[in-house]
Amino acid sequence: PLPPDSLRLGHPLPFAVRNAEGRLLLASGQLLQDGPLATQLLGGGGWVQAHEILAYQKALAHKADTLVRQGAAISEIAQARADFHPERAAPKADHGERAAWADLQGRLHLLLRDPHPDEARCEAVRSEALARLAQRPDATLMLLVFECSQAFDPGSQGLLGLALAELAAKALGKPDEERIALTSAALRRRSDNALLERIARLCERLGPLAGRPALSGAAAMRMSWLDAAGQPDEAGSALVKVLGLYPPGSVVRLAQGEIGIVFRRGATATEPMVAALIGKSGTPLTEPVPRDTRLQTQAVAAALAPQELKLRVNVDRLLKLYQL
């Protein structure tokens, strides 16, 4: 829960603020402006990432200790606020994969709200996201597709578009300068050409939009495979090549009745690795169990829309599968 008295109107937020479901409300570094949302947050009702709270509390304690050593009055110490800069608390690799991507999502969300975003900050987000994608491509795709499937957020959409543009450009053998242009445009959610328009539509289909529920991963992929004339083309084939028919982060039902989330791409487009989350009896499993869909009994029987998974997913447990 949001710490009491940790926010002040007109001051930058020391951490990203979310609702109880984890959806981003305000990004780290954003000025808290007067209004209904600020009133709600100042009165309680906001949530923050645990690692960001720890960083804030450490900074606040450091400020208080400094004032004590300087012989400050008790009233001054009581009113102390941490000499806190949000960028210093940005999640690093040791804070976990999910926290790092949540930070990138928040930073991008803030940039996309600016009609004239700072180019240096956009490039910083692009470079960091691509570096993380290169290190752990399957984990990145699982995280981004899953996040996009839960709720519409420009930051999530932009990061997923960036990842797809990078992987598709490499699959198509695009030169570096074109690949950089494509990833930069995808990050800003632009669709200046046909490789970008297809990616934008795929990202939208994987998540809810304007009252329309998210599609299953396979349905979104099939629609993205074809061009405007209903024929497969180079762009669609590249997306299927880099994602498979069942993208990481999408929900599937297996032949023996288990339901799970794709967490790794397979040797073929129809044979991914799946983390079973619900047993064939309908009972949630205590831990995600890897399933190899190349086996007949564990083959993918159906693709499900995200809302058909009646389970609160522990993404951190899914991420542990990449360490096996």
Side-chain angles (χ1 to χ4, degrees), residues 135-153:
Q135 291 171 356
R136 304 182 74 190
D138 285 292
T140 294
L141 290 172
M142 187 278 291
L143 272 172
L144 296 180
V145 170
F146 179 78
E147 289 293 332
C148 283
S149 73
Q150 300 304 296
F152 175 79
D153 178 82

PDB file of all heavy atoms in Angstrom, residues 135-153:
ATOM      1  N   GLN A 135      19.127 -10.494 -24.107  1.00  0.00           N
ATOM      2  CA  GLN A 135      19.571 -11.387 -23.042  1.00  0.00           C
ATOM      3  C   GLN A 135      18.582 -12.517 -22.792  1.00  0.00           C
ATOM      4  O   GLN A 135      18.977 -13.667 -22.599  1.00  0.00           O
ATOM      5  CB  GLN A 135      19.780 -10.593 -21.750  1.00  0.00           C
ATOM      6  CG  GLN A 135      20.957  -9.630 -21.797  1.00  0.00           C
ATOM      7  CD  GLN A 135      20.983  -8.715 -20.587  1.00  0.00           C
ATOM      8  OE1 GLN A 135      20.089  -8.749 -19.739  1.00  0.00           O
ATOM      9  NE2 GLN A 135      22.002  -7.875 -20.501  1.00  0.00           N
ATOM     10  N   ARG A 136      17.293 -12.199 -22.796  1.00  0.00           N
ATOM     11  CA  ARG A 136      16.275 -13.189 -22.445  1.00  0.00           C
ATOM     12  C   ARG A 136      15.057 -12.994 -23.348  1.00  0.00           C
ATOM     13  O   ARG A 136      14.021 -12.499 -22.916  1.00  0.00           O
ATOM     14  CB  ARG A 136      15.881 -13.053 -20.976  1.00  0.00           C
ATOM     15  CG  ARG A 136      17.036 -13.151 -20.006  1.00  0.00           C
ATOM     16  CD  ARG A 136      16.572 -13.061 -18.558  1.00  0.00           C
ATOM     17  NE  ARG A 136      15.909 -14.283 -18.131  1.00  0.00           N
ATOM     18  CZ  ARG A 136      15.241 -14.402 -16.973  1.00  0.00           C
ATOM     19  NH1 ARG A 136      15.148 -13.382 -16.161  1.00  0.00           N
ATOM     20  NH2 ARG A 136      14.661 -15.540 -16.638  1.00  0.00           N
ATOM     21  N   PRO A 137      15.153 -13.395 -24.616  1.00  0.00           N
ATOM     22  CA  PRO A 137      14.056 -13.125 -25.552  1.00  0.00           C
ATOM     23  C   PRO A 137      12.736 -13.784 -25.181  1.00  0.00           C
ATOM     24  O   PRO A 137      11.680 -13.151 -25.266  1.00  0.00           O
ATOM     25  CB  PRO A 137      14.600 -13.640 -26.893  1.00  0.00           C
ATOM     26  CG  PRO A 137      15.728 -14.551 -26.540  1.00  0.00           C
ATOM     27  CD  PRO A 137      16.307 -14.032 -25.283  1.00  0.00           C
ATOM     28  N   ASP A 138      12.767 -15.061 -24.766  1.00  0.00           N
ATOM     29  CA  ASP A 138      11.511 -15.733 -24.449  1.00  0.00           C
ATOM     30  C   ASP A 138      10.863 -15.150 -23.195  1.00  0.00           C
ATOM     31  O   ASP A 138       9.644 -14.959 -23.150  1.00  0.00           O
ATOM     32  CB  ASP A 138      11.752 -17.237 -24.270  1.00  0.00           C
ATOM     33  CG  ASP A 138      11.961 -17.942 -25.598  1.00  0.00           C
ATOM     34  OD1 ASP A 138      11.004 -18.022 -26.383  1.00  0.00           O
ATOM     35  OD2 ASP A 138      13.083 -18.392 -25.862  1.00  0.00           O
ATOM     36  N   ALA A 139      11.672 -14.871 -22.170  1.00  0.00           N
ATOM     37  CA  ALA A 139      11.138 -14.269 -20.950  1.00  0.00           C
ATOM     38  C   ALA A 139      10.548 -12.891 -21.255  1.00  0.00           C
ATOM     39  O   ALA A 139       9.487 -12.525 -20.736  1.00  0.00           O
ATOM     40  CB  ALA A 139      12.231 -14.167 -19.889  1.00  0.00           C
ATOM     41  N   THR A 140      11.226 -12.137 -22.112  1.00  0.00           N
ATOM     42  CA  THR A 140      10.737 -10.805 -22.485  1.00  0.00           C
ATOM     43  C   THR A 140       9.400 -10.892 -23.209  1.00  0.00           C
ATOM     44  O   THR A 140       8.449 -10.179 -22.872  1.00  0.00           O
ATOM     45  CB  THR A 140      11.768 -10.104 -23.379  1.00  0.00           C
ATOM     46  OG1 THR A 140      12.952  -9.851 -22.627  1.00  0.00           O
ATOM     47  CG2 THR A 140      11.226  -8.788 -23.913  1.00  0.00           C
ATOM     48  N   LEU A 141       9.308 -11.784 -24.181  1.00  0.00           N
ATOM     49  CA  LEU A 141       8.062 -11.926 -24.936  1.00  0.00           C
ATOM     50  C   LEU A 141       6.931 -12.395 -24.033  1.00  0.00           C
ATOM     51  O   LEU A 141       5.798 -11.897 -24.133  1.00  0.00           O
ATOM     52  CB  LEU A 141       8.262 -12.906 -26.091  1.00  0.00           C
ATOM     53  CG  LEU A 141       9.158 -12.416 -27.233  1.00  0.00           C
ATOM     54  CD1 LEU A 141       9.427 -13.537 -28.217  1.00  0.00           C
ATOM     55  CD2 LEU A 141       8.513 -11.227 -27.949  1.00  0.00           C
ATOM     56  N   MET A 142       7.220 -13.347 -23.140  1.00  0.00           N
ATOM     57  CA  MET A 142       6.186 -13.823 -22.217  1.00  0.00           C
ATOM     58  C   MET A 142       5.655 -12.685 -21.360  1.00  0.00           C
ATOM     59  O   MET A 142       4.440 -12.493 -21.227  1.00  0.00           O
ATOM     60  CB  MET A 142       6.742 -14.943 -21.344  1.00  0.00           C
ATOM     61  CG  MET A 142       5.695 -15.627 -20.445  1.00  0.00           C
ATOM     62  SD  MET A 142       5.329 -14.752 -18.898  1.00  0.00           S
ATOM     63  CE  MET A 142       6.879 -14.984 -18.024  1.00  0.00           C
ATOM     64  N   LEU A 143       6.568 -11.903 -20.793  1.00  0.00           N
ATOM     65  CA  LEU A 143       6.170 -10.786 -19.934  1.00  0.00           C
ATOM     66  C   LEU A 143       5.337  -9.756 -20.689  1.00  0.00           C
ATOM     67  O   LEU A 143       4.279  -9.329 -20.228  1.00  0.00           O
ATOM     68  CB  LEU A 143       7.406 -10.113 -19.358  1.00  0.00           C
ATOM     69  CG  LEU A 143       7.969 -10.656 -18.051  1.00  0.00           C
ATOM     70  CD1 LEU A 143       9.301  -9.984 -17.736  1.00  0.00           C
ATOM     71  CD2 LEU A 143       6.994 -10.427 -16.906  1.00  0.00           C
ATOM     72  N   LEU A 144       5.821  -9.351 -21.863  1.00  0.00           N
ATOM     73  CA  LEU A 144       5.165  -8.274 -22.592  1.00  0.00           C
ATOM     74  C   LEU A 144       3.822  -8.695 -23.162  1.00  0.00           C
ATOM     75  O   LEU A 144       2.851  -7.932 -23.122  1.00  0.00           O
ATOM     76  CB  LEU A 144       6.084  -7.756 -23.701  1.00  0.00           C
ATOM     77  CG  LEU A 144       7.389  -7.115 -23.219  1.00  0.00           C
ATOM     78  CD1 LEU A 144       8.220  -6.642 -24.407  1.00  0.00           C
ATOM     79  CD2 LEU A 144       7.104  -5.944 -22.274  1.00  0.00           C
ATOM     80  N   VAL A 145       3.744  -9.907 -23.712  1.00  0.00           N
ATOM     81  CA  VAL A 145       2.461 -10.388 -24.228  1.00  0.00           C
ATOM     82  C   VAL A 145       1.460 -10.551 -23.094  1.00  0.00           C
ATOM     83  O   VAL A 145       0.290 -10.155 -23.213  1.00  0.00           O
ATOM     84  CB  VAL A 145       2.651 -11.721 -24.984  1.00  0.00           C
ATOM     85  CG1 VAL A 145       1.286 -12.347 -25.319  1.00  0.00           C
ATOM     86  CG2 VAL A 145       3.446 -11.504 -26.265  1.00  0.00           C
ATOM     87  N   PHE A 146       1.917 -11.105 -21.971  1.00  0.00           N
ATOM     88  CA  PHE A 146       1.006 -11.277 -20.827  1.00  0.00           C
ATOM     89  C   PHE A 146       0.520  -9.922 -20.325  1.00  0.00           C
ATOM     90  O   PHE A 146      -0.678  -9.740 -20.068  1.00  0.00           O
ATOM     91  CB  PHE A 146       1.701 -12.037 -19.701  1.00  0.00           C
ATOM     92  CG  PHE A 146       0.827 -12.219 -18.489  1.00  0.00           C
ATOM     93  CD1 PHE A 146      -0.158 -13.196 -18.464  1.00  0.00           C
ATOM     94  CD2 PHE A 146       0.976 -11.399 -17.383  1.00  0.00           C
ATOM     95  CE1 PHE A 146      -0.991 -13.346 -17.354  1.00  0.00           C
ATOM     96  CE2 PHE A 146       0.154 -11.553 -16.277  1.00  0.00           C
ATOM     97  CZ  PHE A 146      -0.823 -12.523 -16.261  1.00  0.00           C
ATOM     98  N   GLU A 147       1.427  -8.950 -20.168  1.00  0.00           N
ATOM     99  CA  GLU A 147       1.025  -7.625 -19.689  1.00  0.00           C
ATOM    100  C   GLU A 147       0.020  -6.979 -20.635  1.00  0.00           C
ATOM    101  O   GLU A 147      -0.966  -6.380 -20.202  1.00  0.00           O
ATOM    102  CB  GLU A 147       2.251  -6.726 -19.521  1.00  0.00           C
ATOM    103  CG  GLU A 147       3.151  -7.090 -18.359  1.00  0.00           C
ATOM    104  CD  GLU A 147       2.493  -6.872 -17.012  1.00  0.00           C
ATOM    105  OE1 GLU A 147       1.611  -6.003 -16.908  1.00  0.00           O
ATOM    106  OE2 GLU A 147       2.858  -7.576 -16.049  1.00  0.00           O
ATOM    107  N   CYS A 148       0.269  -7.079 -21.942  1.00  0.00           N
ATOM    108  CA  CYS A 148      -0.652  -6.496 -22.915  1.00  0.00           C
ATOM    109  C   CYS A 148      -2.019  -7.173 -22.876  1.00  0.00           C
ATOM    110  O   CYS A 148      -3.047  -6.540 -23.149  1.00  0.00           O
ATOM    111  CB  CYS A 148      -0.067  -6.595 -24.320  1.00  0.00           C
ATOM    112  SG  CYS A 148       1.214  -5.374 -24.664  1.00  0.00           S
ATOM    113  N   SER A 149      -2.045  -8.468 -22.545  1.00  0.00           N
ATOM    114  CA  SER A 149      -3.312  -9.204 -22.541  1.00  0.00           C
ATOM    115  C   SER A 149      -4.204  -8.838 -21.367  1.00  0.00           C
ATOM    116  O   SER A 149      -5.410  -9.085 -21.396  1.00  0.00           O
ATOM    117  CB  SER A 149      -3.039 -10.716 -22.516  1.00  0.00           C
ATOM    118  OG  SER A 149      -2.569 -11.138 -21.242  1.00  0.00           O
ATOM    119  N   GLN A 150      -3.626  -8.251 -20.312  1.00  0.00           N
ATOM    120  CA  GLN A 150      -4.384  -7.969 -19.100  1.00  0.00           C
ATOM    121  C   GLN A 150      -5.161  -6.659 -19.161  1.00  0.00           C
ATOM    122  O   GLN A 150      -6.280  -6.572 -18.662  1.00  0.00           O
ATOM    123  CB  GLN A 150      -3.441  -7.957 -17.888  1.00  0.00           C
ATOM    124  CG  GLN A 150      -2.710  -9.259 -17.673  1.00  0.00           C
ATOM    125  CD  GLN A 150      -3.663 -10.444 -17.547  1.00  0.00           C
ATOM    126  OE1 GLN A 150      -4.464 -10.508 -16.613  1.00  0.00           O
ATOM    127  NE2 GLN A 150      -3.593 -11.368 -18.493  1.00  0.00           N
ATOM    128  N   ALA A 151      -4.586  -5.641 -19.742  1.00  0.00           N
ATOM    129  CA  ALA A 151      -5.230  -4.331 -19.817  1.00  0.00           C
ATOM    130  C   ALA A 151      -4.502  -3.486 -20.850  1.00  0.00           C
ATOM    131  O   ALA A 151      -3.309  -3.687 -21.099  1.00  0.00           O
ATOM    132  CB  ALA A 151      -5.211  -3.632 -18.454  1.00  0.00           C
ATOM    133  N   PHE A 152      -5.225  -2.547 -21.443  1.00  0.00           N
ATOM    134  CA  PHE A 152      -4.580  -1.671 -22.414  1.00  0.00           C
ATOM    135  C   PHE A 152      -3.691  -0.661 -21.706  1.00  0.00           C
ATOM    136  O   PHE A 152      -4.115   0.015 -20.773  1.00  0.00           O
ATOM    137  CB  PHE A 152      -5.621  -0.918 -23.257  1.00  0.00           C
ATOM    138  CG  PHE A 152      -5.002   0.085 -24.182  1.00  0.00           C
ATOM    139  CD1 PHE A 152      -4.426  -0.328 -25.364  1.00  0.00           C
ATOM    140  CD2 PHE A 152      -4.957   1.434 -23.854  1.00  0.00           C
ATOM    141  CE1 PHE A 152      -3.824   0.588 -26.225  1.00  0.00           C
ATOM    142  CE2 PHE A 152      -4.366   2.354 -24.695  1.00  0.00           C
ATOM    143  CZ  PHE A 152      -3.799   1.926 -25.883  1.00  0.00           C
ATOM    144  N   ASP A 153      -2.438  -0.581 -22.144  1.00  0.00           N
ATOM    145  CA  ASP A 153      -1.506   0.407 -21.608  1.00  0.00           C
ATOM    146  C   ASP A 153      -0.536   0.773 -22.727  1.00  0.00           C
ATOM    147  O   ASP A 153       0.096  -0.111 -23.317  1.00  0.00           O
ATOM    148  CB  ASP A 153      -0.728  -0.158 -20.419  1.00  0.00           C
ATOM    149  CG  ASP A 153       0.279   0.845 -19.877  1.00  0.00           C
ATOM    150  OD1 ASP A 153      -0.133   1.715 -19.094  1.00  0.00           O
ATOM    151  OD2 ASP A 153       1.460   0.770 -20.257  1.00  0.00           O
TER     152      ASP A 153
END
